[in-house]
Amino acid sequence: MESKHYVPNGQGENFNYSQDHCFIKVSSIDTNGELCLIEDTIKPGFHLKRHHHKIMTEVFYMLEGEMELVFDDETILLKPGDTITVAPNVWHEAKCERGGKMLTIFKNGQFDVFLEQLSTMTEDDFSNAELMKSFSAKFDIYEE
């Protein structure tokens, strides 16, 4: 790892998907796989299906807008300035009707590498359920 790594506002490797636009602010490659930090501009209608992680911890910090996090036992509405930590093995899904912006720390995960590899996949890859299941599991993402 370099002694320092500066990423200016609006910069960083980025991936513009149909539901969100992710900027890698801190790469897991730069932290020996310990964590990565993603700035996520969430597009209106965003919905991340119910899933969990066996190893990875997620920390969400809402910057703009509101996002609904649905857990087995409760639903939490994140507003600007709110933070929530989701431990491994906690089922959750996310919905953002109007769009927004958040920072997410992924501890013990390589979510940035997941985004990078996801960006190279074809429509045929996405339609192959077994491939997508094994690909997601490789990055500690498990859906129902």
Side-chain angles (χ1 to χ4, degrees):
M1 181 172 125
E2 302 172 29
S3 62
K4 57 188 151 305
H5 183 79
Y6 172 67
V7 181
N9 185 26
Q11 300 291 312
E13 186 174 10
N14 71 93
F15 304 96
N16 193 3
Y17 297 107
S18 62
Q19 294 197 83
D20 60 345
H21 190 170
C22 300
F23 286 83
I24 311 304
K25 295 300 188 175
V26 177
S27 169
S28 62
I29 295 165
D30 294 331
T31 64
N32 297 317
E34 292 180 20
L35 65 88
C36 68
L37 173 66
I38 309 290
E39 180 184 286
D40 195 353
T41 299
I42 306 162
K43 297 177 183 178
F46 175 89
H47 180 231
L48 185 60
K49 292 191 288 188
R50 180 177 153 88
H51 67 283
H52 78 284
H53 313 282
K54 295 179 180 177
I55 300 167
M56 188 166 32
T57 297
E58 293 176 288
V59 179
F60 300 100
Y61 178 77
M62 204 69 195
L63 296 168
E64 300 171 7
E66 296 180 348
M67 185 171 67
E68 184 178 331
L69 287 171
V70 181
F71 302 94
D72 287 343
D73 59 346
E74 69 178 318
T75 298
I76 296 174
L77 184 64
L78 285 184
K79 297 179 181 180
D82 290 350
T83 304
I84 188 167
T85 302
V86 181
N89 298 307
V90 175
W91 286 94
H92 57 287
E93 71 179 292
K95 300 175 186 177
C96 186
E97 186 177 313
R98 294 190 175 113
K101 185 181 272 192
M102 70 177 175
L103 294 175
T104 307
I105 297 170
F106 297 89
K107 176 149 180 27
N108 297 326
Q110 295 183 314
F111 195 75
D112 54 323
V113 178
F114 170 79
L115 292 174
E116 180 182 351
Q117 291 184 14
L118 191 69
S119 73
T120 67
M121 297 182 105
T122 66
E123 289 300 320
D124 286 342
D125 292 336
F126 288 116
S127 64
N128 182 332
E130 281 305 310
L131 172 68
M132 294 309 298
K133 183 177 180 179
S134 66
F135 174 73
S136 294
K138 176 181 169 183
F139 292 98
D140 194 33
I141 301 167
Y142 302 91
E143 295 180 350
E144 291 183 297

